[in-house]
Short mmCIF file of all heavy atoms in Angstrom, two decimals:
data_model
loop_
_atom_site.label_atom_id
_atom_site.label_comp_id
_atom_site.label_asym_id
_atom_site.label_seq_id
_atom_site.Cartn_x
_atom_site.Cartn_y
_atom_site.Cartn_z
N ILE A 598 118.09 53.37 143.31
CA ILE A 598 117.45 52.09 143.08
C ILE A 598 117.73 51.62 141.65
O ILE A 598 117.99 50.42 141.44
CB ILE A 598 115.91 52.21 143.34
CG1 ILE A 598 115.66 52.41 144.83
CG2 ILE A 598 115.18 50.94 142.88
CD1 ILE A 598 114.23 52.48 145.22
N TYR A 601 121.16 50.18 141.64
CA TYR A 601 121.24 48.81 142.22
C TYR A 601 120.61 47.78 141.29
O TYR A 601 121.08 46.65 141.22
CB TYR A 601 120.55 48.77 143.59
CG TYR A 601 121.23 49.62 144.65
CD1 TYR A 601 120.51 50.49 145.46
CD2 TYR A 601 122.62 49.53 144.80
CE1 TYR A 601 121.14 51.24 146.41
CE2 TYR A 601 123.26 50.31 145.80
CZ TYR A 601 122.52 51.15 146.55
OH TYR A 601 123.15 51.92 147.52
N LYS A 602 119.53 48.18 140.62
CA LYS A 602 118.91 47.25 139.68
C LYS A 602 119.87 46.91 138.56
O LYS A 602 119.95 45.76 138.15
CB LYS A 602 117.64 47.88 139.08
CG LYS A 602 116.46 47.87 140.02
CD LYS A 602 115.20 48.36 139.36
CE LYS A 602 114.02 48.31 140.26
NZ LYS A 602 112.77 48.78 139.67
N GLN A 603 120.61 47.91 138.09
CA GLN A 603 121.58 47.70 137.05
C GLN A 603 122.67 46.73 137.54
O GLN A 603 123.10 45.84 136.84
CB GLN A 603 122.18 49.04 136.63
CG GLN A 603 123.19 48.98 135.49
CD GLN A 603 122.55 48.40 134.24
OE1 GLN A 603 121.41 48.72 133.87
NE2 GLN A 603 123.27 47.53 133.56
N LEU A 605 122.38 44.48 139.85
CA LEU A 605 121.81 43.13 139.98
C LEU A 605 121.83 42.44 138.64
O LEU A 605 122.17 41.25 138.52
CB LEU A 605 120.40 43.20 140.53
CG LEU A 605 119.74 41.91 140.92
CD1 LEU A 605 120.49 41.28 142.07
CD2 LEU A 605 118.29 42.13 141.34
N LYS A 606 121.47 43.18 137.59
CA LYS A 606 121.48 42.59 136.24
C LYS A 606 122.89 42.16 135.85
O LYS A 606 123.11 41.12 135.26
CB LYS A 606 121.02 43.63 135.22
CG LYS A 606 119.51 43.76 135.09
CD LYS A 606 119.18 44.57 133.83
CE LYS A 606 117.77 45.09 133.95
NZ LYS A 606 117.45 46.12 132.96
N GLU A 627 127.05 36.05 154.35
CA GLU A 627 125.65 35.55 154.29
C GLU A 627 124.83 36.30 155.32
O GLU A 627 125.17 36.35 156.50
CB GLU A 627 125.60 34.06 154.63
CG GLU A 627 125.98 33.15 153.51
CD GLU A 627 124.92 33.09 152.38
OE1 GLU A 627 123.79 33.58 152.55
OE2 GLU A 627 125.26 32.52 151.34
N ASN A 628 123.75 36.89 154.84
CA ASN A 628 122.82 37.58 155.80
C ASN A 628 123.53 38.52 156.74
O ASN A 628 123.45 38.35 157.95
CB ASN A 628 122.02 36.54 156.59
CG ASN A 628 121.36 35.50 155.71
OD1 ASN A 628 120.93 35.82 154.61
ND2 ASN A 628 121.29 34.26 156.18
N PRO A 629 124.24 39.52 156.23
CA PRO A 629 124.94 40.41 157.12
C PRO A 629 123.94 41.27 157.91
O PRO A 629 122.86 41.58 157.42
CB PRO A 629 125.82 41.28 156.23
CG PRO A 629 125.15 41.22 154.90
CD PRO A 629 124.41 39.88 154.81
N ALA A 630 124.32 41.65 159.11
CA ALA A 630 123.49 42.55 159.89
C ALA A 630 123.48 43.91 159.24
O ALA A 630 124.34 44.20 158.41
CB ALA A 630 124.04 42.63 161.30
N ASP A 631 122.53 44.75 159.60
CA ASP A 631 122.39 46.09 158.95
C ASP A 631 123.63 46.88 159.02
O ASP A 631 124.02 47.59 158.09
CB ASP A 631 121.22 46.86 159.60
CG ASP A 631 119.89 46.31 159.07
OD1 ASP A 631 119.90 45.71 158.00
OD2 ASP A 631 118.91 46.51 159.77
N LYS A 688 132.97 29.97 149.77
CA LYS A 688 132.07 29.21 148.90
C LYS A 688 132.54 29.32 147.46
O LYS A 688 133.43 30.12 147.13
CB LYS A 688 130.64 29.77 149.01
CG LYS A 688 130.01 29.51 150.31
CD LYS A 688 128.54 29.79 150.35
CE LYS A 688 127.97 29.59 151.73
NZ LYS A 688 126.69 30.20 151.93
N LYS A 699 121.70 38.39 146.35
CA LYS A 699 120.74 38.42 147.46
C LYS A 699 120.94 39.71 148.27
O LYS A 699 119.96 40.34 148.69
CB LYS A 699 120.92 37.21 148.35
CG LYS A 699 119.75 36.90 149.23
CD LYS A 699 119.89 35.57 149.92
CE LYS A 699 120.44 35.78 151.29
NZ LYS A 699 120.42 34.59 152.15
N LEU A 700 122.20 40.07 148.49
CA LEU A 700 122.51 41.27 149.26
C LEU A 700 121.93 42.55 148.55
O LEU A 700 121.36 43.40 149.15
CB LEU A 700 124.01 41.42 149.43
CG LEU A 700 124.49 42.63 150.22
CD1 LEU A 700 124.10 42.48 151.69
CD2 LEU A 700 125.97 42.83 150.11
N ILE A 701 122.12 42.58 147.22
CA ILE A 701 121.66 43.74 146.48
C ILE A 701 120.12 43.82 146.50
O ILE A 701 119.52 44.89 146.58
CB ILE A 701 122.19 43.70 145.02
CG1 ILE A 701 123.70 43.70 145.03
CG2 ILE A 701 121.65 44.84 144.16
CD1 ILE A 701 124.33 44.96 145.66
N LYS A 702 119.48 42.61 146.41
CA LYS A 702 118.03 42.60 146.49
C LYS A 702 117.55 43.16 147.82
O LYS A 702 116.57 43.84 147.94
CB LYS A 702 117.51 41.16 146.34
CG LYS A 702 117.50 40.67 144.93
CD LYS A 702 116.94 39.25 144.78
CE LYS A 702 117.25 38.69 143.46
NZ LYS A 702 116.82 37.31 143.30
N GLN A 703 118.31 42.82 148.88
CA GLN A 703 118.01 43.32 150.21
C GLN A 703 118.10 44.82 150.26
O GLN A 703 117.23 45.52 150.86
CB GLN A 703 118.98 42.71 151.22
CG GLN A 703 118.63 43.00 152.67
CD GLN A 703 119.55 42.30 153.62
OE1 GLN A 703 120.41 41.49 153.23
NE2 GLN A 703 119.43 42.57 154.92
N VAL A 704 119.07 45.37 149.55
CA VAL A 704 119.27 46.81 149.52
C VAL A 704 118.11 47.47 148.74
O VAL A 704 117.57 48.49 149.16
CB VAL A 704 120.62 47.19 148.89
CG1 VAL A 704 120.76 48.68 148.65
CG2 VAL A 704 121.76 46.70 149.77
N ILE A 705 117.73 46.82 147.63
CA ILE A 705 116.67 47.41 146.82
C ILE A 705 115.36 47.45 147.62
O ILE A 705 114.59 48.38 147.54
CB ILE A 705 116.48 46.63 145.50
CG1 ILE A 705 117.71 46.78 144.61
CG2 ILE A 705 115.21 47.00 144.78
CD1 ILE A 705 117.66 45.93 143.34
N ARG A 706 115.14 46.35 148.37
CA ARG A 706 113.92 46.30 149.18
C ARG A 706 113.93 47.46 150.19
O ARG A 706 112.94 47.87 150.68
CB ARG A 706 113.87 44.98 149.97
CG ARG A 706 113.39 43.84 149.14
CD ARG A 706 111.89 43.71 149.16
NE ARG A 706 111.51 42.37 148.71
CZ ARG A 706 110.88 41.49 149.47
NH1 ARG A 706 110.58 41.81 150.70
NH2 ARG A 706 110.62 40.30 149.01
N GLU B 544 103.66 40.57 153.18
CA GLU B 544 104.67 40.92 154.21
C GLU B 544 103.99 41.34 155.53
O GLU B 544 104.59 42.03 156.34
CB GLU B 544 105.59 42.02 153.73
CG GLU B 544 106.60 41.50 152.71
CD GLU B 544 107.62 42.53 152.32
OE1 GLU B 544 107.74 43.59 152.97
OE2 GLU B 544 108.30 42.30 151.32
N ARG B 570 121.05 33.51 164.32
CA ARG B 570 120.39 34.70 164.86
C ARG B 570 119.66 34.44 166.18
O ARG B 570 120.03 34.96 167.19
CB ARG B 570 119.37 35.22 163.82
CG ARG B 570 119.87 36.23 162.87
CD ARG B 570 120.13 37.59 163.54
NE ARG B 570 120.61 38.58 162.60
CZ ARG B 570 119.88 39.55 162.09
NH1 ARG B 570 118.62 39.65 162.40
NH2 ARG B 570 120.44 40.45 161.28
N GLN B 598 113.16 38.88 157.05
CA GLN B 598 113.54 38.47 155.70
C GLN B 598 115.06 38.60 155.54
O GLN B 598 115.72 39.24 156.35
CB GLN B 598 112.84 39.40 154.70
CG GLN B 598 111.34 39.17 154.69
CD GLN B 598 110.68 39.95 153.60
OE1 GLN B 598 111.02 39.82 152.44
NE2 GLN B 598 109.71 40.73 153.96
N PHE B 599 115.56 37.97 154.50
CA PHE B 599 117.00 37.93 154.20
C PHE B 599 117.82 37.33 155.34
O PHE B 599 118.96 37.66 155.58
CB PHE B 599 117.53 39.33 153.87
CG PHE B 599 116.94 39.89 152.61
CD1 PHE B 599 115.88 40.79 152.65
CD2 PHE B 599 117.40 39.49 151.33
CE1 PHE B 599 115.32 41.28 151.47
CE2 PHE B 599 116.82 39.98 150.18
CZ PHE B 599 115.78 40.85 150.25
N GLN B 600 117.19 36.40 156.08
CA GLN B 600 117.87 35.60 157.09
C GLN B 600 117.40 34.18 156.85
O GLN B 600 116.19 33.95 156.73
CB GLN B 600 117.53 36.02 158.50
CG GLN B 600 117.99 37.44 158.89
CD GLN B 600 119.47 37.53 158.97
OE1 GLN B 600 120.16 36.55 159.37
NE2 GLN B 600 120.02 38.64 158.63
N SER B 601 118.31 33.22 156.89
CA SER B 601 117.90 31.84 156.63
C SER B 601 116.97 31.35 157.74
O SER B 601 117.31 31.40 158.92
CB SER B 601 119.12 30.94 156.57
OG SER B 601 119.90 31.24 155.44
N GLU B 623 114.31 30.93 152.43
CA GLU B 623 114.60 32.40 152.37
C GLU B 623 113.22 33.06 152.28
O GLU B 623 112.53 32.94 151.23
CB GLU B 623 115.43 32.69 151.12
CG GLU B 623 116.78 32.08 151.13
CD GLU B 623 117.77 32.73 152.07
OE1 GLU B 623 117.54 33.92 152.42
OE2 GLU B 623 118.70 32.08 152.47
N GLN B 625 112.20 36.04 151.86
CA GLN B 625 111.94 37.06 150.84
C GLN B 625 111.54 36.46 149.51
O GLN B 625 110.99 37.15 148.67
CB GLN B 625 113.18 37.97 150.64
CG GLN B 625 114.35 37.32 149.95
CD GLN B 625 115.25 36.59 150.96
OE1 GLN B 625 114.90 36.43 152.13
NE2 GLN B 625 116.40 36.13 150.51
N VAL B 628 107.12 35.63 149.28
CA VAL B 628 106.14 36.71 149.53
C VAL B 628 105.05 36.63 148.47
O VAL B 628 105.30 36.54 147.28
CB VAL B 628 106.81 38.11 149.44
CG1 VAL B 628 105.79 39.20 149.63
CG2 VAL B 628 107.90 38.19 150.50
N TYR B 654 100.52 46.44 148.50
CA TYR B 654 101.92 46.13 148.87
C TYR B 654 102.69 47.43 148.91
O TYR B 654 102.60 48.24 147.99
CB TYR B 654 102.50 45.18 147.86
CG TYR B 654 103.85 44.68 148.18
CD1 TYR B 654 104.06 43.72 149.18
CD2 TYR B 654 104.98 45.14 147.50
CE1 TYR B 654 105.33 43.28 149.48
CE2 TYR B 654 106.24 44.66 147.80
CZ TYR B 654 106.42 43.76 148.80
OH TYR B 654 107.67 43.29 149.10
N LYS B 656 105.94 48.37 148.66
CA LYS B 656 107.07 48.74 147.82
C LYS B 656 106.69 48.54 146.35
O LYS B 656 106.87 47.44 145.80
CB LYS B 656 108.29 47.94 148.17
CG LYS B 656 108.75 48.19 149.60
CD LYS B 656 109.60 47.05 150.12
CE LYS B 656 109.61 47.04 151.62
NZ LYS B 656 110.04 45.81 152.23
N HIS B 658 108.17 49.49 143.66
CA HIS B 658 109.27 49.20 142.75
C HIS B 658 109.67 47.75 142.78
O HIS B 658 110.47 47.29 141.97
CB HIS B 658 110.47 50.08 143.07
CG HIS B 658 111.03 49.83 144.45
ND1 HIS B 658 110.58 50.57 145.51
CD2 HIS B 658 111.92 48.98 144.92
CE1 HIS B 658 111.24 50.13 146.59
NE2 HIS B 658 112.03 49.16 146.25
N CYS B 659 109.07 46.98 143.73
CA CYS B 659 109.38 45.54 143.80
C CYS B 659 108.37 44.69 143.09
O CYS B 659 108.45 43.47 143.14
CB CYS B 659 109.46 45.12 145.28
SG CYS B 659 111.02 45.51 146.05
N ILE B 703 106.18 39.64 143.11
CA ILE B 703 107.44 40.31 143.43
C ILE B 703 108.35 40.08 142.27
O ILE B 703 108.52 38.96 141.76
CB ILE B 703 108.06 39.66 144.72
CG1 ILE B 703 107.14 39.78 145.90
CG2 ILE B 703 109.43 40.27 145.01
CD1 ILE B 703 106.96 41.18 146.40
N ASN B 704 109.01 41.17 141.78
CA ASN B 704 109.85 41.03 140.60
C ASN B 704 111.23 40.52 140.96
O ASN B 704 111.56 40.37 142.12
CB ASN B 704 109.92 42.36 139.81
CG ASN B 704 110.53 43.50 140.61
OD1 ASN B 704 111.30 43.24 141.56
ND2 ASN B 704 110.19 44.71 140.29
N SER B 705 112.03 40.29 139.95
CA SER B 705 113.32 39.65 140.19
C SER B 705 114.33 40.58 140.89
O SER B 705 115.37 40.13 141.28
CB SER B 705 113.93 39.15 138.86
OG SER B 705 113.96 40.25 137.98
N TYR B 706 114.00 41.86 140.99
CA TYR B 706 114.94 42.78 141.66
C TYR B 706 114.83 42.71 143.17
O TYR B 706 115.68 43.20 143.90
CB TYR B 706 114.65 44.23 141.26
CG TYR B 706 114.93 44.49 139.81
CD1 TYR B 706 113.94 44.86 138.94
CD2 TYR B 706 116.20 44.38 139.29
CE1 TYR B 706 114.18 45.13 137.61
CE2 TYR B 706 116.47 44.62 137.96
CZ TYR B 706 115.47 44.97 137.10
OH TYR B 706 115.68 45.19 135.81
N CYS B 707 113.72 42.12 143.66
CA CYS B 707 113.53 42.10 145.11
C CYS B 707 113.39 40.68 145.68
O CYS B 707 113.30 40.51 146.88
CB CYS B 707 112.27 42.88 145.49
SG CYS B 707 112.43 44.62 145.09
N GLY B 708 113.36 39.71 144.80
CA GLY B 708 113.22 38.34 145.31
C GLY B 708 113.20 37.39 144.12
O GLY B 708 113.30 37.80 142.98
N ASN B 709 113.06 36.13 144.50
CA ASN B 709 113.08 35.08 143.49
C ASN B 709 111.85 34.22 143.70
O ASN B 709 111.92 33.14 144.30
CB ASN B 709 114.35 34.26 143.66
CG ASN B 709 114.61 33.35 142.52
OD1 ASN B 709 114.00 33.50 141.44
ND2 ASN B 709 115.49 32.41 142.70
#
Side-chain angles (χ1 to χ4, degrees):
Chain A
I598 291 182
Y601 295 133
K602 283 186 177 179
Q603 184 59 42
L605 190 64
K606 277 193 199 167
E627 280 289 349
N628 308 325
D631 283 338
K688 291 192 184 164
K699 198 172 97 170
L700 180 70
I701 299 300
K702 283 182 192 177
Q703 188 177 353
V704 171
I705 292 174
R706 280 273 197 115
Chain B
E544 287 185 13
R570 268 288 180 104
Q598 293 186 55
F599 296 99
Q600 295 292 327
S601 292
E623 297 286 338
Q625 69 274 10
V628 178
Y654 186 74
K656 300 158 200 162
H658 61 270
C659 279
I703 301 291
N704 62 25
S705 55
Y706 294 116
C707 295
N709 191 15

